[in-house]
């Protein structure tokens, strides 16, 4: 209650879920994304949920000046930052091309958001937290940052794109950076953890969903709401003895 939480990619499907649950718990949520109008619209909706003020803020997390301006604006508005959720992710047009055909420009673009963006946000916002001797950073990983792709579920006659090597590589980097920052800032009052979601059902073909469900011990893909409890736990004092952890919420996908 009363804490200030930044969510990058906050206008996305999962980012907005994180905004809802943190606002419900009493936090001032800052929705950061690339479209100011959309950010403002969602911030208004979040504020109306509980009459706890939220802020929408346009920002490019791959640009250092943009991230510094983001932090300055938030500090001017709320006077503090307690939580950073590094959730933003790049999705270029060639995202699902086979590895042998993957364009270098798209590889570097994805890395600039998925890895450089987390580096910049953590460096700039984390430095503020270090000065305050308090803060929580949550990086969003993925099951595909932990295990390889099961290509059999993508063999779908209805048409399903290949999984992306750059996505896996970037999410593996996110998990490793989490562990580094956790140990680096452990004595400074800043906790750093990772949340790795499983696949979320969001309009995939029936064939793909059926194969994914059969591959998952709990027998289904995630619902977009399934990560609210985990994100609230990681952001709150309920996880005060946790740092450097990758909390996997995947219906058991990585258990076999």
């Amino acid at each position: 209650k009363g804490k200030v939480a930044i969510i990058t990619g906050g206008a996305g499907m999962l980012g907005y879920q994180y905004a809802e649950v943190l606002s419900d718990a009493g936090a001032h949520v800052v929705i950061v994304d690339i479209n100011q109008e959309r950010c403002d619209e969602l911030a208004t909706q979040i504020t109306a949920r509980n009459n706890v003020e939220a802020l929408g803020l346009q920002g490019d997390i791959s640009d250092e000046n943009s991230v510094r301006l983001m932090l300055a604006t938030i500090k001017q508005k709320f006077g503090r930052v307690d939580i950073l959720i590094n959730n933003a992710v790049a999705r270029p047009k060639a995202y699902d091309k086979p590895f042998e055909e993957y364009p270098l420009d798209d590889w570097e673009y994805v890395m600039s958001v998925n890895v450089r963006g987390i580096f910049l946000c953590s460096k700039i916002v984390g430095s503020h937290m270090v000065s305050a001797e308090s803060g929580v950073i949550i990086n969003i990983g993925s099951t595909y940052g932990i295990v390889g792709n099961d290509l059999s579920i993508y063999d779908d006659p209805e048409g399903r794109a290949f999984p992306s090597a750059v996505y896996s590589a970037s999410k593996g980097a996110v998990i490793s950076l989490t562990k580094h920052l956790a140990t680096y800032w452990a004595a400074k009052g800043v906790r750093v953890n990772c949340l790795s979601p499983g696949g979320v059902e969001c309009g995939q073909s029936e064939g793909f969903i059926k194969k994914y469900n059969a591959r998952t011990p709990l027998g289904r893909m995630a619902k977009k709401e399934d990560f609210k409890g985990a994100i609230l736990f990681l952001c709150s004092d309920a996880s005060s003895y946790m740092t450097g952890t990758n909390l996997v919420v995947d219906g058991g996908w990585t258990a076999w």
Side-chain angles (χ1 to χ4, degrees):
K1 184 176 181 179
K3 293 186 176 181
V4 177
I6 301 172
I7 306 173
T8 69
M13 177 180 64
L14 293 185
Y16 188 72
Q17 297 300 308
Y18 305 151
E20 283 189 338
V21 72
L22 293 183
S23 176
D24 291 349
H28 297 287
V29 171
V30 182
I31 296 175
V32 177
D33 219 303
I34 57 175
N35 185 304
Q36 182 67 59
E37 184 177 353
R38 181 63 174 158
C39 290
D40 289 341
E41 177 187 347
L42 295 178
T44 299
Q45 293 177 16
I46 291 294
T47 299
R49 285 178 68 88
N50 306 288
N51 200 30
V52 178
E53 186 176 10
L55 175 67
L57 199 58
Q58 189 276 337
D60 177 0
I61 65 166
S62 68
D63 179 82
E64 185 166 2
N65 290 332
S66 180
V67 177
R68 291 192 183 280
L69 179 60
M70 173 193 78
L71 176 60
T73 303
I74 295 167
K75 287 172 65 177
Q76 183 177 28
K77 174 70 174 178
F78 293 113
R80 58 190 290 173
V81 176
D82 303 283
I83 298 161
L84 168 64
I85 302 178
N86 283 312
N87 170 70
V89 65
R91 296 194 180 279
K93 291 181 180 178
Y95 205 75
D96 301 312
K97 278 189 174 293
F99 181 73
E100 296 87 349
E101 302 172 15
Y102 207 84
L104 177 59
D105 287 350
D106 277 11
W107 177 282
E108 293 183 343
Y109 169 59
V110 172
M111 285 294 187
S112 76
V113 177
N114 293 15
V115 181
R116 185 170 78 198
I118 288 183
F119 159 68
L120 288 172
C121 289
S122 297
K123 170 188 172 183
I124 293 166
V125 179
S127 295
H128 166 77
M129 292 176 173
V130 167
S131 298
E133 298 184 339
S134 177
V136 174
I137 297 175
I138 310 299
N139 297 323
I140 305 301
S142 169
T143 53
Y144 280 164
I146 305 168
V147 297
N149 300 286
D150 182 351
L151 296 179
S152 67
I153 68 171
Y154 296 89
D155 182 19
D156 183 354
E158 297 178 48
R160 175 66 189 177
F162 293 121
S164 171
V166 68
Y167 180 80
S168 296
S170 67
K171 291 303 184 179
V174 167
I175 294 168
S176 291
L177 180 59
T178 298
K179 295 177 184 296
H180 171 83
L181 293 178
T183 56
Y184 183 74
W185 279 331
K188 302 294 185 178
V190 179
R191 297 191 298 111
V192 187
N193 289 295
C194 186
L195 171 63
S196 285
V200 183
E201 186 172 344
C202 56
Q204 298 93 338
S205 70
E206 290 185 13
F208 176 81
I209 293 172
K210 183 177 180 179
K211 289 185 177 183
Y212 193 102
N213 291 350
R215 172 67 175 73
T216 307
L218 289 186
R220 65 173 178 87
M221 298 189 76
K223 302 173 184 176
K224 61 183 181 180
E225 301 88 2
D226 278 334
F227 311 105
K228 282 185 168 183
I231 207 74
L232 180 60
F233 169 67
L234 290 174
C235 289
S236 75
D237 290 343
S239 60
S240 61
Y241 194 55
M242 285 179 63
T243 198
T245 296
N246 181 28
L247 181 60
V248 183
V249 183
D250 67 350
W253 175 274
T254 56
W256 58 14

PDB file of all heavy atoms in Angstrom, residues 76-88:
ATOM      1  N   GLN A  76       9.246  13.126  -9.739  1.00  0.00           N
ATOM      2  CA  GLN A  76       8.582  14.417  -9.590  1.00  0.00           C
ATOM      3  C   GLN A  76       7.112  14.230  -9.206  1.00  0.00           C
ATOM      4  O   GLN A  76       6.571  14.995  -8.405  1.00  0.00           O
ATOM      5  CB  GLN A  76       8.693  15.221 -10.882  1.00  0.00           C
ATOM      6  CG  GLN A  76       8.084  16.618 -10.801  1.00  0.00           C
ATOM      7  CD  GLN A  76       8.272  17.402 -12.081  1.00  0.00           C
ATOM      8  OE1 GLN A  76       8.378  16.826 -13.163  1.00  0.00           O
ATOM      9  NE2 GLN A  76       8.326  18.725 -11.985  1.00  0.00           N
ATOM     10  N   LYS A  77       6.482  13.190  -9.778  1.00  0.00           N
ATOM     11  CA  LYS A  77       5.068  12.941  -9.525  1.00  0.00           C
ATOM     12  C   LYS A  77       4.821  12.320  -8.158  1.00  0.00           C
ATOM     13  O   LYS A  77       3.947  12.763  -7.404  1.00  0.00           O
ATOM     14  CB  LYS A  77       4.514  12.020 -10.623  1.00  0.00           C
ATOM     15  CG  LYS A  77       3.089  11.562 -10.429  1.00  0.00           C
ATOM     16  CD  LYS A  77       2.098  12.685 -10.603  1.00  0.00           C
ATOM     17  CE  LYS A  77       0.676  12.167 -10.548  1.00  0.00           C
ATOM     18  NZ  LYS A  77      -0.310  13.266 -10.664  1.00  0.00           N
ATOM     19  N   PHE A  78       5.568  11.259  -7.842  1.00  0.00           N
ATOM     20  CA  PHE A  78       5.290  10.480  -6.630  1.00  0.00           C
ATOM     21  C   PHE A  78       6.381  10.591  -5.556  1.00  0.00           C
ATOM     22  O   PHE A  78       6.163  10.178  -4.418  1.00  0.00           O
ATOM     23  CB  PHE A  78       5.102   9.004  -6.992  1.00  0.00           C
ATOM     24  CG  PHE A  78       3.868   8.721  -7.816  1.00  0.00           C
ATOM     25  CD1 PHE A  78       3.972   8.288  -9.129  1.00  0.00           C
ATOM     26  CD2 PHE A  78       2.608   8.885  -7.281  1.00  0.00           C
ATOM     27  CE1 PHE A  78       2.844   8.022  -9.890  1.00  0.00           C
ATOM     28  CE2 PHE A  78       1.466   8.621  -8.028  1.00  0.00           C
ATOM     29  CZ  PHE A  78       1.584   8.192  -9.337  1.00  0.00           C
ATOM     30  N   GLY A  79       7.555  11.075  -5.944  1.00  0.00           N
ATOM     31  CA  GLY A  79       8.625  11.270  -4.964  1.00  0.00           C
ATOM     32  C   GLY A  79       9.445  10.045  -4.640  1.00  0.00           C
ATOM     33  O   GLY A  79      10.403  10.121  -3.879  1.00  0.00           O
ATOM     34  N   ARG A  80       9.088   8.909  -5.235  1.00  0.00           N
ATOM     35  CA  ARG A  80       9.776   7.664  -4.885  1.00  0.00           C
ATOM     36  C   ARG A  80       9.491   6.596  -5.937  1.00  0.00           C
ATOM     37  O   ARG A  80       8.557   6.705  -6.720  1.00  0.00           O
ATOM     38  CB  ARG A  80       9.303   7.150  -3.523  1.00  0.00           C
ATOM     39  CG  ARG A  80       7.805   6.915  -3.469  1.00  0.00           C
ATOM     40  CD  ARG A  80       7.301   6.631  -2.077  1.00  0.00           C
ATOM     41  NE  ARG A  80       7.735   5.323  -1.595  1.00  0.00           N
ATOM     42  CZ  ARG A  80       7.538   4.884  -0.361  1.00  0.00           C
ATOM     43  NH1 ARG A  80       6.926   5.664   0.524  1.00  0.00           N
ATOM     44  NH2 ARG A  80       7.949   3.692   0.003  1.00  0.00           N
ATOM     45  N   VAL A  81      10.307   5.561  -5.932  1.00  0.00           N
ATOM     46  CA  VAL A  81      10.060   4.351  -6.719  1.00  0.00           C
ATOM     47  C   VAL A  81      10.435   3.160  -5.842  1.00  0.00           C
ATOM     48  O   VAL A  81      11.553   3.081  -5.339  1.00  0.00           O
ATOM     49  CB  VAL A  81      10.881   4.301  -8.027  1.00  0.00           C
ATOM     50  CG1 VAL A  81      10.642   2.983  -8.744  1.00  0.00           C
ATOM     51  CG2 VAL A  81      10.533   5.468  -8.936  1.00  0.00           C
ATOM     52  N   ASP A  82       9.498   2.246  -5.662  1.00  0.00           N
ATOM     53  CA  ASP A  82       9.724   1.091  -4.794  1.00  0.00           C
ATOM     54  C   ASP A  82       9.867  -0.209  -5.568  1.00  0.00           C
ATOM     55  O   ASP A  82      10.536  -1.138  -5.098  1.00  0.00           O
ATOM     56  CB  ASP A  82       8.552   0.942  -3.816  1.00  0.00           C
ATOM     57  CG  ASP A  82       8.335   2.192  -2.996  1.00  0.00           C
ATOM     58  OD1 ASP A  82       9.097   2.416  -2.043  1.00  0.00           O
ATOM     59  OD2 ASP A  82       7.402   2.956  -3.321  1.00  0.00           O
ATOM     60  N   ILE A  83       9.211  -0.299  -6.719  1.00  0.00           N
ATOM     61  CA  ILE A  83       9.119  -1.562  -7.458  1.00  0.00           C
ATOM     62  C   ILE A  83       9.353  -1.285  -8.942  1.00  0.00           C
ATOM     63  O   ILE A  83       8.811  -0.320  -9.491  1.00  0.00           O
ATOM     64  CB  ILE A  83       7.727  -2.207  -7.269  1.00  0.00           C
ATOM     65  CG1 ILE A  83       7.475  -2.549  -5.798  1.00  0.00           C
ATOM     66  CG2 ILE A  83       7.562  -3.444  -8.151  1.00  0.00           C
ATOM     67  CD1 ILE A  83       5.999  -2.761  -5.458  1.00  0.00           C
ATOM     68  N   LEU A  84      10.142  -2.125  -9.568  1.00  0.00           N
ATOM     69  CA  LEU A  84      10.328  -2.086 -11.017  1.00  0.00           C
ATOM     70  C   LEU A  84      10.035  -3.471 -11.573  1.00  0.00           C
ATOM     71  O   LEU A  84      10.667  -4.451 -11.166  1.00  0.00           O
ATOM     72  CB  LEU A  84      11.762  -1.682 -11.376  1.00  0.00           C
ATOM     73  CG  LEU A  84      12.180  -1.870 -12.836  1.00  0.00           C
ATOM     74  CD1 LEU A  84      11.364  -0.972 -13.769  1.00  0.00           C
ATOM     75  CD2 LEU A  84      13.673  -1.625 -13.006  1.00  0.00           C
ATOM     76  N   ILE A  85       9.085  -3.563 -12.493  1.00  0.00           N
ATOM     77  CA  ILE A  85       8.809  -4.818 -13.188  1.00  0.00           C
ATOM     78  C   ILE A  85       9.257  -4.653 -14.633  1.00  0.00           C
ATOM     79  O   ILE A  85       8.655  -3.905 -15.409  1.00  0.00           O
ATOM     80  CB  ILE A  85       7.319  -5.204 -13.123  1.00  0.00           C
ATOM     81  CG1 ILE A  85       6.860  -5.326 -11.666  1.00  0.00           C
ATOM     82  CG2 ILE A  85       7.073  -6.510 -13.873  1.00  0.00           C
ATOM     83  CD1 ILE A  85       5.388  -5.664 -11.507  1.00  0.00           C
ATOM     84  N   ASN A  86      10.342  -5.332 -14.983  1.00  0.00           N
ATOM     85  CA  ASN A  86      10.881  -5.289 -16.339  1.00  0.00           C
ATOM     86  C   ASN A  86      10.121  -6.308 -17.194  1.00  0.00           C
ATOM     87  O   ASN A  86      10.508  -7.472 -17.298  1.00  0.00           O
ATOM     88  CB  ASN A  86      12.377  -5.601 -16.318  1.00  0.00           C
ATOM     89  CG  ASN A  86      13.207  -4.431 -15.841  1.00  0.00           C
ATOM     90  OD1 ASN A  86      13.033  -3.303 -16.296  1.00  0.00           O
ATOM     91  ND2 ASN A  86      14.126  -4.694 -14.908  1.00  0.00           N
ATOM     92  N   ASN A  87       9.046  -5.841 -17.811  1.00  0.00           N
ATOM     93  CA  ASN A  87       8.118  -6.728 -18.509  1.00  0.00           C
ATOM     94  C   ASN A  87       8.111  -6.539 -20.024  1.00  0.00           C
ATOM     95  O   ASN A  87       7.694  -7.432 -20.759  1.00  0.00           O
ATOM     96  CB  ASN A  87       6.706  -6.482 -17.950  1.00  0.00           C
ATOM     97  CG  ASN A  87       5.617  -7.157 -18.737  1.00  0.00           C
ATOM     98  OD1 ASN A  87       5.484  -8.386 -18.728  1.00  0.00           O
ATOM     99  ND2 ASN A  87       4.821  -6.377 -19.455  1.00  0.00           N
ATOM    100  N   ALA A  88       8.580  -5.399 -20.518  1.00  0.00           N
ATOM    101  CA  ALA A  88       8.487  -5.086 -21.944  1.00  0.00           C
ATOM    102  C   ALA A  88       9.259  -6.100 -22.783  1.00  0.00           C
ATOM    103  O   ALA A  88      10.320  -6.595 -22.381  1.00  0.00           O
ATOM    104  CB  ALA A  88       9.020  -3.678 -22.212  1.00  0.00           C
TER     105      ALA A  88
END
